[in-house]
């Protein structure tokens, strides 16, 4: 099969058989291969973004292995990546951040398009070619970090008490300067990639800062006359 560039399929889907595991229903299909350039680029991107490693040899077996690993990596990531993209888009609107210059949003959007496309494709060669030609944002390292941390970032975005930060932003009194510092740090975290600023610890800190700023300070008791 390897020498003839053919792939094994079982019940219509790709299958990785072993010598001791060769079901009678296995089917051998001739496998069209991506170009060498696409293969090399896909392997590089698979490693940087998804942490996937396969043999550099371009043949049907390795193509099937890479395609299967990409499908397994992309499918479960679609939901958290979609949530992160949607929440970031809303937060950019709420905090008046230009999405075109927001690295975190642009990276999240590119990762979402990538995992969605990989999960939807059902042909091994086309899946690998899709990866090789996918539009990249910021950098491969940033996209890899965004992919790996999507679920953690989703939990941070959904768990943050945004009303505290919004209330701090509206403070009109002597606390205004401190509140503006909190909001500057918030916008910085939302604007920069996860690769540059980890969002969860930053949001947790700023939420605590806002809560302390909003909590009324106890009034000291009046000083009475001496004994």
């Amino acid at each position: 099969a390897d020498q003839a560039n053919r792939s094994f399929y079982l019940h219509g889907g790709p299958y990785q058989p072993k010598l001791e595991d060769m079901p009678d229903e296995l089917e051998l299909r001739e496998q069209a291969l991506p170009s060498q350039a696409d293969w090399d680029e896909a392997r590089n991107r698979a490693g940087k973004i998804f942490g996937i490693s396969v043999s550099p040899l371009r043949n049907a077996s390795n193509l099937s292995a890479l395609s299967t690993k990409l499908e397994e990596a992309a499918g479960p990531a679609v939901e958290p990546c979609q949530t992160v993209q949607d929440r970031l888009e809303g937060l950019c609107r709420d905090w008046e951040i230009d999405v075109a210059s927001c690295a975190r949003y642009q990276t999240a959007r590119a990762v979402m398009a990538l995992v969605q496309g990989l999960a939807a494709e059902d042909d091994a060669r086309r899946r690998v070619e899709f990866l090789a030609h996918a539009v990249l944002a910021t950098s491969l390292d940033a996209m890899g970090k965004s992919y790996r941390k999507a679920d953690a970032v989703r939990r941070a975005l959904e768990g943050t008490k945004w009303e505290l930060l919004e209330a701090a932003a509206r403070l009109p009194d002597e606390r205004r300067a401190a509140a503006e510092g909190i909001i500057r740090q918030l916008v910085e975290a939302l604007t920069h990639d996860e690769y540059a600023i980890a969002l969860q610890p930053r949001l947790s800190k700023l939420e605590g800062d806002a809560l302390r700023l909003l909590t009324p300070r106890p009034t000291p008791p009046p000083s009475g006359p001496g004994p």
Side-chain angles (χ1 to χ4, degrees), residues 47-67:
K48 288 290 186 67
I49 298 174
F50 301 107
I52 292 173
S53 177
V54 294
S55 168
L57 184 61
R58 183 177 61 109
N59 61 25
S61 178
N62 291 334
L63 174 63
S64 178
L66 177 56
S67 175

Side-chain angles (χ1 to χ4, degrees), residues 177-195:
E180 288 177 346
I182 292 173
I183 302 309
R184 278 196 301 272
Q185 293 180 67
L186 171 63
V187 170
E188 179 188 44
L190 292 175
T191 302
H192 285 72
D193 266 311
E194 185 72 10
Y195 185 70

